[in-house]
Amino acid sequence: MNLFEEIKNKNEKITVVGLGYVGLPLAISFAKKALVIGFDINKNKVENLKMGVDVTKELVEGEIKNSEVIFTSQEEKLKEGKFHIIAVPTPVINNEPDLSYIIEATKIVGRNLSKGSIVVYESTVYPGVTEEICIPLLEMESGYTVGLDFKVGYSSERINPGDNINKLENISKIVSGIDNETIDIISMVYGLIINAGIYNAESIKIAEVSKLIENVQRDVNIALMNEISIMLDKIGIDTKLVLESAKTKWNFLNFTPGLVGGHCIGVDSYYLIYKAKEGGYTPKLINQAREINEYMGEYIVQNVLEKMYSDNKTIKDSRIGILGITYKEDCSDIRNTQVAKIVKRLKEKGAVVKVVDPVANEEEVVNSFNIKLCNIEQMKDMDVIIITVPHKEFLKLTLMDLDKMYKKNESKILIDIKGILDKNRALENGYIYWSL
């Protein structure tokens, strides 16, 4: 009986290492079909999960509490598993890959590995990390030999935080492994929970790269829209109206300008660039796309200043209200959010900045950016309002609601980054309005 049959019959356990936006939904989903151990080094997170608290706000209420996942921060529990999934962050530092989390997770799994196990990586990495860095670490920590004592595979995560339609089970899964037997077992195990189908990649490196270019493609297309937005603004043409006109053609790609954050789109390009440079080539288009998207926060600050100066307002001691700090709408994820950079720049220039976000975790925002969130009722006597993230709650706001946030009898500057409000109505009501 192979490992898949043992897992299916609940004779062997699956372990998920890293219980964030990727690992937690995986653990919960697998627990409906198999025995699952969910491991994370963050003891507070584990204790919250044991109480049924979803720190990601990605799961249906009660899913964690009703789940049979065994949550633990004790690495020795991993010895009970035979199918290990590593789903830890792979961020960048100074635009260079930071593999410290995946290295540490690999060491933890390695020293708790048993013969006959399969280790699957879901963390996004540049091609070669799994085979050239992780496998040697697993061998060193366990004392076992890959291919003989244990097997390794890679299956890129495709989680889309904040998306209630394209959930884990409804997104096709790419799997790969060191040999065909490994691929077959990994494919069958994931087949327990994936309804959208499994695609077997020919090699681990192919699977690693395919994950990167999924997001690099989006990064480049958003950068194009951002550059078009900047260009059109300079010559006095409304970008939103241009895009509404252009997308009436069936094959127009419906990308829009905006801030690029999160753990994928704003990160994966740097992983691909890093590996390309190792191979002796410096990507031009991908680099320029990154530069444009990294610039957009500063570009928005410049436009805030221009609107204030044109209205004879000074930035020092001005009151600026920001609606939204997460990197995308209706999602609590604040990783790499460009809004934090906007807040920092405005504060550096002397502004008093208040931030409201009904979706973000207040404690996480303080710990990550030293920004204390306030309630929307506290948004009073503002000179400028910047709507950065189109959360559902903000989409309900009317101009009358916004009026109450400004200083009385003074001009109202509204920076509506994604253009969620009617520009003409805002102008008719005396707003100084700007959007991408």
Side-chain angles (χ1 to χ4, degrees), residues 17 29 34 39 49 60 75 98 106 141 187 205 211 221 261 263 284 288 299 320 334 336 356 366:
V17 177
S29 188
F39 171 83
L49 290 171
V60 176
E75 65 173 75
D98 174 16
T106 298
E141 292 291 333
S187 180
K205 286 186 175 70
K211 165 59 182 175
N221 277 289
H263 181 60
K284 299 176 180 63
Q288 289 176 341
Y299 175 65
I320 298 178
I334 61 171
N336 298 319
V356 170
V366 171

mmCIF file with all atom_site columns, all heavy atoms in Angstrom, residues 17 29 34 39 49 60 75 98 106 141 187 205 211 221 261 263 284 288 299 320 334 336 356 366:
data_model
loop_
_atom_site.group_PDB
_atom_site.id
_atom_site.type_symbol
_atom_site.label_atom_id
_atom_site.label_alt_id
_atom_site.label_comp_id
_atom_site.label_asym_id
_atom_site.label_entity_id
_atom_site.label_seq_id
_atom_site.pdbx_PDB_ins_code
_atom_site.Cartn_x
_atom_site.Cartn_y
_atom_site.Cartn_z
_atom_site.occupancy
_atom_site.B_iso_or_equiv
_atom_site.pdbx_formal_charge
_atom_site.auth_seq_id
_atom_site.auth_comp_id
_atom_site.auth_asym_id
_atom_site.auth_atom_id
_atom_site.pdbx_PDB_model_num
ATOM 1   N N   . VAL A 1 17  ? 3.225   22.883 7.469   1.00 0.00 ? 17  VAL A N   1
ATOM 2   C CA  . VAL A 1 17  ? 4.171   23.717 8.208   1.00 0.00 ? 17  VAL A CA  1
ATOM 3   C C   . VAL A 1 17  ? 4.029   25.162 7.735   1.00 0.00 ? 17  VAL A C   1
ATOM 4   O O   . VAL A 1 17  ? 4.339   25.489 6.591   1.00 0.00 ? 17  VAL A O   1
ATOM 5   C CB  . VAL A 1 17  ? 5.619   23.225 7.996   1.00 0.00 ? 17  VAL A CB  1
ATOM 6   C CG1 . VAL A 1 17  ? 6.609   24.129 8.708   1.00 0.00 ? 17  VAL A CG1 1
ATOM 7   C CG2 . VAL A 1 17  ? 5.753   21.781 8.477   1.00 0.00 ? 17  VAL A CG2 1
ATOM 8   N N   . SER A 1 29  ? -8.780  22.244 4.762   1.00 0.00 ? 29  SER A N   1
ATOM 9   C CA  . SER A 1 29  ? -9.368  21.478 3.660   1.00 0.00 ? 29  SER A CA  1
ATOM 10  C C   . SER A 1 29  ? -8.961  20.010 3.723   1.00 0.00 ? 29  SER A C   1
ATOM 11  O O   . SER A 1 29  ? -9.800  19.108 3.571   1.00 0.00 ? 29  SER A O   1
ATOM 12  C CB  . SER A 1 29  ? -8.948  22.092 2.320   1.00 0.00 ? 29  SER A CB  1
ATOM 13  O OG  . SER A 1 29  ? -9.643  21.492 1.251   1.00 0.00 ? 29  SER A OG  1
ATOM 14  N N   . ALA A 1 34  ? -8.522  13.733 5.635   1.00 0.00 ? 34  ALA A N   1
ATOM 15  C CA  . ALA A 1 34  ? -7.379  13.005 6.187   1.00 0.00 ? 34  ALA A CA  1
ATOM 16  C C   . ALA A 1 34  ? -7.051  13.503 7.590   1.00 0.00 ? 34  ALA A C   1
ATOM 17  O O   . ALA A 1 34  ? -7.639  14.480 8.077   1.00 0.00 ? 34  ALA A O   1
ATOM 18  C CB  . ALA A 1 34  ? -6.164  13.187 5.260   1.00 0.00 ? 34  ALA A CB  1
ATOM 19  N N   . PHE A 1 39  ? 1.274   22.940 11.913  1.00 0.00 ? 39  PHE A N   1
ATOM 20  C CA  . PHE A 1 39  ? 2.393   23.421 12.738  1.00 0.00 ? 39  PHE A CA  1
ATOM 21  C C   . PHE A 1 39  ? 2.775   24.847 12.389  1.00 0.00 ? 39  PHE A C   1
ATOM 22  O O   . PHE A 1 39  ? 2.840   25.229 11.212  1.00 0.00 ? 39  PHE A O   1
ATOM 23  C CB  . PHE A 1 39  ? 3.615   22.511 12.541  1.00 0.00 ? 39  PHE A CB  1
ATOM 24  C CG  . PHE A 1 39  ? 4.876   23.047 13.181  1.00 0.00 ? 39  PHE A CG  1
ATOM 25  C CD1 . PHE A 1 39  ? 5.127   22.850 14.526  1.00 0.00 ? 39  PHE A CD1 1
ATOM 26  C CD2 . PHE A 1 39  ? 5.793   23.772 12.428  1.00 0.00 ? 39  PHE A CD2 1
ATOM 27  C CE1 . PHE A 1 39  ? 6.284   23.358 15.113  1.00 0.00 ? 39  PHE A CE1 1
ATOM 28  C CE2 . PHE A 1 39  ? 6.949   24.279 13.003  1.00 0.00 ? 39  PHE A CE2 1
ATOM 29  C CZ  . PHE A 1 39  ? 7.194   24.078 14.352  1.00 0.00 ? 39  PHE A CZ  1
ATOM 30  N N   . LEU A 1 49  ? -5.671  29.673 17.025  1.00 0.00 ? 49  LEU A N   1
ATOM 31  C CA  . LEU A 1 49  ? -6.286  28.681 16.142  1.00 0.00 ? 49  LEU A CA  1
ATOM 32  C C   . LEU A 1 49  ? -6.974  27.587 16.949  1.00 0.00 ? 49  LEU A C   1
ATOM 33  O O   . LEU A 1 49  ? -8.048  27.104 16.563  1.00 0.00 ? 49  LEU A O   1
ATOM 34  C CB  . LEU A 1 49  ? -5.228  28.074 15.212  1.00 0.00 ? 49  LEU A CB  1
ATOM 35  C CG  . LEU A 1 49  ? -4.692  29.011 14.130  1.00 0.00 ? 49  LEU A CG  1
ATOM 36  C CD1 . LEU A 1 49  ? -3.507  28.375 13.409  1.00 0.00 ? 49  LEU A CD1 1
ATOM 37  C CD2 . LEU A 1 49  ? -5.783  29.358 13.114  1.00 0.00 ? 49  LEU A CD2 1
ATOM 38  N N   . VAL A 1 60  ? -14.574 30.474 6.331   1.00 0.00 ? 60  VAL A N   1
ATOM 39  C CA  . VAL A 1 60  ? -15.955 30.642 6.773   1.00 0.00 ? 60  VAL A CA  1
ATOM 40  C C   . VAL A 1 60  ? -15.995 30.525 8.289   1.00 0.00 ? 60  VAL A C   1
ATOM 41  O O   . VAL A 1 60  ? -15.286 29.707 8.882   1.00 0.00 ? 60  VAL A O   1
ATOM 42  C CB  . VAL A 1 60  ? -16.857 29.571 6.125   1.00 0.00 ? 60  VAL A CB  1
ATOM 43  C CG1 . VAL A 1 60  ? -18.279 29.672 6.654   1.00 0.00 ? 60  VAL A CG1 1
ATOM 44  C CG2 . VAL A 1 60  ? -16.834 29.699 4.612   1.00 0.00 ? 60  VAL A CG2 1
ATOM 45  N N   . GLU A 1 75  ? 7.555   21.070 17.411  1.00 0.00 ? 75  GLU A N   1
ATOM 46  C CA  . GLU A 1 75  ? 8.023   20.450 16.175  1.00 0.00 ? 75  GLU A CA  1
ATOM 47  C C   . GLU A 1 75  ? 8.088   18.934 16.237  1.00 0.00 ? 75  GLU A C   1
ATOM 48  O O   . GLU A 1 75  ? 8.008   18.255 15.211  1.00 0.00 ? 75  GLU A O   1
ATOM 49  C CB  . GLU A 1 75  ? 9.389   21.008 15.772  1.00 0.00 ? 75  GLU A CB  1
ATOM 50  C CG  . GLU A 1 75  ? 10.522  20.697 16.730  1.00 0.00 ? 75  GLU A CG  1
ATOM 51  C CD  . GLU A 1 75  ? 11.869  21.143 16.157  1.00 0.00 ? 75  GLU A CD  1
ATOM 52  O OE1 . GLU A 1 75  ? 12.146  22.357 16.157  1.00 0.00 ? 75  GLU A OE1 1
ATOM 53  O OE2 . GLU A 1 75  ? 12.626  20.259 15.713  1.00 0.00 ? 75  GLU A OE2 1
ATOM 54  N N   . ASP A 1 98  ? 14.645  36.541 0.308   1.00 0.00 ? 98  ASP A N   1
ATOM 55  C CA  . ASP A 1 98  ? 14.943  36.190 1.691   1.00 0.00 ? 98  ASP A CA  1
ATOM 56  C C   . ASP A 1 98  ? 14.440  34.765 1.917   1.00 0.00 ? 98  ASP A C   1
ATOM 57  O O   . ASP A 1 98  ? 13.235  34.533 2.041   1.00 0.00 ? 98  ASP A O   1
ATOM 58  C CB  . ASP A 1 98  ? 14.253  37.164 2.651   1.00 0.00 ? 98  ASP A CB  1
ATOM 59  C CG  . ASP A 1 98  ? 14.410  36.754 4.112   1.00 0.00 ? 98  ASP A CG  1
ATOM 60  O OD1 . ASP A 1 98  ? 15.285  35.913 4.404   1.00 0.00 ? 98  ASP A OD1 1
ATOM 61  O OD2 . ASP A 1 98  ? 13.644  37.275 4.953   1.00 0.00 ? 98  ASP A OD2 1
ATOM 62  N N   . THR A 1 106 ? 12.634  24.045 6.603   1.00 0.00 ? 106 THR A N   1
ATOM 63  C CA  . THR A 1 106 ? 13.251  22.827 6.065   1.00 0.00 ? 106 THR A CA  1
ATOM 64  C C   . THR A 1 106 ? 14.064  22.116 7.142   1.00 0.00 ? 106 THR A C   1
ATOM 65  O O   . THR A 1 106 ? 14.015  20.882 7.262   1.00 0.00 ? 106 THR A O   1
ATOM 66  C CB  . THR A 1 106 ? 14.150  23.174 4.859   1.00 0.00 ? 106 THR A CB  1
ATOM 67  O OG1 . THR A 1 106 ? 13.341  23.747 3.821   1.00 0.00 ? 106 THR A OG1 1
ATOM 68  C CG2 . THR A 1 106 ? 14.845  21.937 4.318   1.00 0.00 ? 106 THR A CG2 1
ATOM 69  N N   . GLU A 1 141 ? 19.943  17.405 7.839   1.00 0.00 ? 141 GLU A N   1
ATOM 70  C CA  . GLU A 1 141 ? 19.257  17.403 9.134   1.00 0.00 ? 141 GLU A CA  1
ATOM 71  C C   . GLU A 1 141 ? 18.724  16.023 9.507   1.00 0.00 ? 141 GLU A C   1
ATOM 72  O O   . GLU A 1 141 ? 18.687  15.671 10.680  1.00 0.00 ? 141 GLU A O   1
ATOM 73  C CB  . GLU A 1 141 ? 18.098  18.408 9.105   1.00 0.00 ? 141 GLU A CB  1
ATOM 74  C CG  . GLU A 1 141 ? 18.515  19.866 9.012   1.00 0.00 ? 141 GLU A CG  1
ATOM 75  C CD  . GLU A 1 141 ? 19.186  20.380 10.282  1.00 0.00 ? 141 GLU A CD  1
ATOM 76  O OE1 . GLU A 1 141 ? 18.888  19.840 11.381  1.00 0.00 ? 141 GLU A OE1 1
ATOM 77  O OE2 . GLU A 1 141 ? 20.019  21.302 10.180  1.00 0.00 ? 141 GLU A OE2 1
ATOM 78  N N   . SER A 1 187 ? 0.052   14.039 -6.648  1.00 0.00 ? 187 SER A N   1
ATOM 79  C CA  . SER A 1 187 ? -1.138  14.356 -7.433  1.00 0.00 ? 187 SER A CA  1
ATOM 80  C C   . SER A 1 187 ? -2.387  13.747 -6.806  1.00 0.00 ? 187 SER A C   1
ATOM 81  O O   . SER A 1 187 ? -3.437  14.407 -6.694  1.00 0.00 ? 187 SER A O   1
ATOM 82  C CB  . SER A 1 187 ? -0.957  13.849 -8.866  1.00 0.00 ? 187 SER A CB  1
ATOM 83  O OG  . SER A 1 187 ? -2.094  14.145 -9.645  1.00 0.00 ? 187 SER A OG  1
ATOM 84  N N   . LYS A 1 205 ? 11.716  22.474 -11.357 1.00 0.00 ? 205 LYS A N   1
ATOM 85  C CA  . LYS A 1 205 ? 12.095  23.819 -11.809 1.00 0.00 ? 205 LYS A CA  1
ATOM 86  C C   . LYS A 1 205 ? 11.002  24.454 -12.680 1.00 0.00 ? 205 LYS A C   1
ATOM 87  O O   . LYS A 1 205 ? 10.736  25.653 -12.591 1.00 0.00 ? 205 LYS A O   1
ATOM 88  C CB  . LYS A 1 205 ? 13.430  23.785 -12.562 1.00 0.00 ? 205 LYS A CB  1
ATOM 89  C CG  . LYS A 1 205 ? 14.657  23.601 -11.678 1.00 0.00 ? 205 LYS A CG  1
ATOM 90  C CD  . LYS A 1 205 ? 15.932  23.736 -12.497 1.00 0.00 ? 205 LYS A CD  1
ATOM 91  C CE  . LYS A 1 205 ? 17.179  23.668 -11.603 1.00 0.00 ? 205 LYS A CE  1
ATOM 92  N NZ  . LYS A 1 205 ? 17.403  22.318 -11.062 1.00 0.00 ? 205 LYS A NZ  1
ATOM 93  N N   . LYS A 1 211 ? 5.014   29.379 -11.388 1.00 0.00 ? 211 LYS A N   1
ATOM 94  C CA  . LYS A 1 211 ? 4.410   30.187 -10.327 1.00 0.00 ? 211 LYS A CA  1
ATOM 95  C C   . LYS A 1 211 ? 4.867   31.637 -10.428 1.00 0.00 ? 211 LYS A C   1
ATOM 96  O O   . LYS A 1 211 ? 4.068   32.574 -10.301 1.00 0.00 ? 211 LYS A O   1
ATOM 97  C CB  . LYS A 1 211 ? 4.783   29.593 -8.963  1.00 0.00 ? 211 LYS A CB  1
ATOM 98  C CG  . LYS A 1 211 ? 4.524   30.514 -7.781  1.00 0.00 ? 211 LYS A CG  1
ATOM 99  C CD  . LYS A 1 211 ? 3.067   30.909 -7.669  1.00 0.00 ? 211 LYS A CD  1
ATOM 100 C CE  . LYS A 1 211 ? 2.844   31.866 -6.508  1.00 0.00 ? 211 LYS A CE  1
ATOM 101 N NZ  . LYS A 1 211 ? 1.460   32.354 -6.444  1.00 0.00 ? 211 LYS A NZ  1
ATOM 102 N N   . ASN A 1 221 ? 1.669   44.022 -16.498 1.00 0.00 ? 221 ASN A N   1
ATOM 103 C CA  . ASN A 1 221 ? 0.457   44.610 -17.052 1.00 0.00 ? 221 ASN A CA  1
ATOM 104 C C   . ASN A 1 221 ? -0.071  45.762 -16.194 1.00 0.00 ? 221 ASN A C   1
ATOM 105 O O   . ASN A 1 221 ? -0.551  46.770 -16.729 1.00 0.00 ? 221 ASN A O   1
ATOM 106 C CB  . ASN A 1 221 ? -0.627  43.539 -17.222 1.00 0.00 ? 221 ASN A CB  1
ATOM 107 C CG  . ASN A 1 221 ? -0.473  42.759 -18.510 1.00 0.00 ? 221 ASN A CG  1
ATOM 108 O OD1 . ASN A 1 221 ? -0.714  43.270 -19.596 1.00 0.00 ? 221 ASN A OD1 1
ATOM 109 N ND2 . ASN A 1 221 ? -0.054  41.511 -18.396 1.00 0.00 ? 221 ASN A ND2 1
ATOM 110 N N   . GLY A 1 261 ? 0.832   45.518 -4.078  1.00 0.00 ? 261 GLY A N   1
ATOM 111 C CA  . GLY A 1 261 ? 1.401   45.022 -2.823  1.00 0.00 ? 261 GLY A CA  1
ATOM 112 C C   . GLY A 1 261 ? 1.164   43.536 -2.690  1.00 0.00 ? 261 GLY A C   1
ATOM 113 O O   . GLY A 1 261 ? 1.003   42.822 -3.676  1.00 0.00 ? 261 GLY A O   1
ATOM 114 N N   . HIS A 1 263 ? 2.045   39.568 -1.004  1.00 0.00 ? 263 HIS A N   1
ATOM 115 C CA  . HIS A 1 263 ? 3.232   38.726 -0.961  1.00 0.00 ? 263 HIS A CA  1
ATOM 116 C C   . HIS A 1 263 ? 3.607   38.131 -2.316  1.00 0.00 ? 263 HIS A C   1
ATOM 117 O O   . HIS A 1 263 ? 4.671   37.536 -2.455  1.00 0.00 ? 263 HIS A O   1
ATOM 118 C CB  . HIS A 1 263 ? 3.037   37.587 0.043   1.00 0.00 ? 263 HIS A CB  1
ATOM 119 C CG  . HIS A 1 263 ? 4.242   36.706 0.149   1.00 0.00 ? 263 HIS A CG  1
ATOM 120 N ND1 . HIS A 1 263 ? 5.472   37.185 0.543   1.00 0.00 ? 263 HIS A ND1 1
ATOM 121 C CD2 . HIS A 1 263 ? 4.421   35.405 -0.146  1.00 0.00 ? 263 HIS A CD2 1
ATOM 122 C CE1 . HIS A 1 263 ? 6.355   36.196 0.506   1.00 0.00 ? 263 HIS A CE1 1
ATOM 123 N NE2 . HIS A 1 263 ? 5.741   35.115 0.101   1.00 0.00 ? 263 HIS A NE2 1
ATOM 124 N N   . LYS A 1 284 ? 15.037  43.531 -18.578 1.00 0.00 ? 284 LYS A N   1
ATOM 125 C CA  . LYS A 1 284 ? 14.786  44.965 -18.728 1.00 0.00 ? 284 LYS A CA  1
ATOM 126 C C   . LYS A 1 284 ? 13.329  45.322 -18.441 1.00 0.00 ? 284 LYS A C   1
ATOM 127 O O   . LYS A 1 284 ? 13.036  46.171 -17.604 1.00 0.00 ? 284 LYS A O   1
ATOM 128 C CB  . LYS A 1 284 ? 15.180  45.412 -20.137 1.00 0.00 ? 284 LYS A CB  1
ATOM 129 C CG  . LYS A 1 284 ? 16.662  45.201 -20.455 1.00 0.00 ? 284 LYS A CG  1
ATOM 130 C CD  . LYS A 1 284 ? 16.978  45.577 -21.893 1.00 0.00 ? 284 LYS A CD  1
ATOM 131 C CE  . LYS A 1 284 ? 18.467  45.369 -22.209 1.00 0.00 ? 284 LYS A CE  1
ATOM 132 N NZ  . LYS A 1 284 ? 18.889  43.968 -22.107 1.00 0.00 ? 284 LYS A NZ  1
ATOM 133 N N   . GLN A 1 288 ? 11.825  47.349 -15.185 1.00 0.00 ? 288 GLN A N   1
ATOM 134 C CA  . GLN A 1 288 ? 11.162  48.638 -15.356 1.00 0.00 ? 288 GLN A CA  1
ATOM 135 C C   . GLN A 1 288 ? 9.738   48.602 -14.805 1.00 0.00 ? 288 GLN A C   1
ATOM 136 O O   . GLN A 1 288 ? 9.270   49.595 -14.226 1.00 0.00 ? 288 GLN A O   1
ATOM 137 C CB  . GLN A 1 288 ? 11.160  49.028 -16.833 1.00 0.00 ? 288 GLN A CB  1
ATOM 138 C CG  . GLN A 1 288 ? 12.552  49.408 -17.344 1.00 0.00 ? 288 GLN A CG  1
ATOM 139 C CD  . GLN A 1 288 ? 12.568  49.692 -18.837 1.00 0.00 ? 288 GLN A CD  1
ATOM 140 O OE1 . GLN A 1 288 ? 11.682  49.290 -19.572 1.00 0.00 ? 288 GLN A OE1 1
ATOM 141 N NE2 . GLN A 1 288 ? 13.604  50.387 -19.290 1.00 0.00 ? 288 GLN A NE2 1
ATOM 142 N N   . TYR A 1 299 ? 4.271   58.846 -6.277  1.00 0.00 ? 299 TYR A N   1
ATOM 143 C CA  . TYR A 1 299 ? 3.500   59.608 -7.268  1.00 0.00 ? 299 TYR A CA  1
ATOM 144 C C   . TYR A 1 299 ? 2.196   60.116 -6.657  1.00 0.00 ? 299 TYR A C   1
ATOM 145 O O   . TYR A 1 299 ? 1.785   61.261 -6.889  1.00 0.00 ? 299 TYR A O   1
ATOM 146 C CB  . TYR A 1 299 ? 3.219   58.719 -8.482  1.00 0.00 ? 299 TYR A CB  1
ATOM 147 C CG  . TYR A 1 299 ? 2.339   59.343 -9.530  1.00 0.00 ? 299 TYR A CG  1
ATOM 148 C CD1 . TYR A 1 299 ? 2.750   60.459 -10.257 1.00 0.00 ? 299 TYR A CD1 1
ATOM 149 C CD2 . TYR A 1 299 ? 1.074   58.804 -9.815  1.00 0.00 ? 299 TYR A CD2 1
ATOM 150 C CE1 . TYR A 1 299 ? 1.938   61.029 -11.225 1.00 0.00 ? 299 TYR A CE1 1
ATOM 151 C CE2 . TYR A 1 299 ? 0.264   59.357 -10.789 1.00 0.00 ? 299 TYR A CE2 1
ATOM 152 C CZ  . TYR A 1 299 ? 0.695   60.476 -11.495 1.00 0.00 ? 299 TYR A CZ  1
ATOM 153 O OH  . TYR A 1 299 ? -0.113  61.035 -12.449 1.00 0.00 ? 299 TYR A OH  1
ATOM 154 N N   . ILE A 1 320 ? -4.743  64.621 7.349   1.00 0.00 ? 320 ILE A N   1
ATOM 155 C CA  . ILE A 1 320 ? -5.030  63.769 6.190   1.00 0.00 ? 320 ILE A CA  1
ATOM 156 C C   . ILE A 1 320 ? -5.605  62.440 6.669   1.00 0.00 ? 320 ILE A C   1
ATOM 157 O O   . ILE A 1 320 ? -5.021  61.764 7.517   1.00 0.00 ? 320 ILE A O   1
ATOM 158 C CB  . ILE A 1 320 ? -3.757  63.534 5.351   1.00 0.00 ? 320 ILE A CB  1
ATOM 159 C CG1 . ILE A 1 320 ? -3.233  64.873 4.816   1.00 0.00 ? 320 ILE A CG1 1
ATOM 160 C CG2 . ILE A 1 320 ? -4.042  62.558 4.202   1.00 0.00 ? 320 ILE A CG2 1
ATOM 161 C CD1 . ILE A 1 320 ? -1.963  64.766 4.009   1.00 0.00 ? 320 ILE A CD1 1
ATOM 162 N N   . ILE A 1 334 ? -1.724  42.662 5.000   1.00 0.00 ? 334 ILE A N   1
ATOM 163 C CA  . ILE A 1 334 ? -1.029  43.959 4.908   1.00 0.00 ? 334 ILE A CA  1
ATOM 164 C C   . ILE A 1 334 ? 0.405   43.807 4.396   1.00 0.00 ? 334 ILE A C   1
ATOM 165 O O   . ILE A 1 334 ? 1.146   44.792 4.339   1.00 0.00 ? 334 ILE A O   1
ATOM 166 C CB  . ILE A 1 334 ? -1.007  44.681 6.271   1.00 0.00 ? 334 ILE A CB  1
ATOM 167 C CG1 . ILE A 1 334 ? -0.271  43.843 7.321   1.00 0.00 ? 334 ILE A CG1 1
ATOM 168 C CG2 . ILE A 1 334 ? -2.406  45.029 6.735   1.00 0.00 ? 334 ILE A CG2 1
ATOM 169 C CD1 . ILE A 1 334 ? -0.011  44.556 8.625   1.00 0.00 ? 334 ILE A CD1 1
ATOM 170 N N   . ASN A 1 336 ? 3.577   43.974 2.413   1.00 0.00 ? 336 ASN A N   1
ATOM 171 C CA  . ASN A 1 336 ? 4.066   44.813 1.305   1.00 0.00 ? 336 ASN A CA  1
ATOM 172 C C   . ASN A 1 336 ? 3.056   45.850 0.832   1.00 0.00 ? 336 ASN A C   1
ATOM 173 O O   . ASN A 1 336 ? 3.122   46.302 -0.315  1.00 0.00 ? 336 ASN A O   1
ATOM 174 C CB  . ASN A 1 336 ? 4.492   43.946 0.105   1.00 0.00 ? 336 ASN A CB  1
ATOM 175 C CG  . ASN A 1 336 ? 5.623   43.013 0.450   1.00 0.00 ? 336 ASN A CG  1
ATOM 176 O OD1 . ASN A 1 336 ? 6.555   43.387 1.147   1.00 0.00 ? 336 ASN A OD1 1
ATOM 177 N ND2 . ASN A 1 336 ? 5.539   41.785 -0.016  1.00 0.00 ? 336 ASN A ND2 1
ATOM 178 N N   . VAL A 1 356 ? -7.960  54.522 8.706   1.00 0.00 ? 356 VAL A N   1
ATOM 179 C CA  . VAL A 1 356 ? -9.098  53.662 9.042   1.00 0.00 ? 356 VAL A CA  1
ATOM 180 C C   . VAL A 1 356 ? -9.045  52.426 8.155   1.00 0.00 ? 356 VAL A C   1
ATOM 181 O O   . VAL A 1 356 ? -8.816  52.536 6.947   1.00 0.00 ? 356 VAL A O   1
ATOM 182 C CB  . VAL A 1 356 ? -10.437 54.397 8.792   1.00 0.00 ? 356 VAL A CB  1
ATOM 183 C CG1 . VAL A 1 356 ? -11.613 53.429 8.913   1.00 0.00 ? 356 VAL A CG1 1
ATOM 184 C CG2 . VAL A 1 356 ? -10.609 55.547 9.756   1.00 0.00 ? 356 VAL A CG2 1
ATOM 185 N N   . VAL A 1 366 ? 0.039   47.812 13.880  1.00 0.00 ? 366 VAL A N   1
ATOM 186 C CA  . VAL A 1 366 ? 0.935   48.494 14.817  1.00 0.00 ? 366 VAL A CA  1
ATOM 187 C C   . VAL A 1 366 ? 2.309   47.843 14.807  1.00 0.00 ? 366 VAL A C   1
ATOM 188 O O   . VAL A 1 366 ? 3.345   48.518 14.723  1.00 0.00 ? 366 VAL A O   1
ATOM 189 C CB  . VAL A 1 366 ? 0.350   48.488 16.250  1.00 0.00 ? 366 VAL A CB  1
ATOM 190 C CG1 . VAL A 1 366 ? 1.386   48.991 17.259  1.00 0.00 ? 366 VAL A CG1 1
ATOM 191 C CG2 . VAL A 1 366 ? -0.901  49.355 16.321  1.00 0.00 ? 366 VAL A CG2 1
#
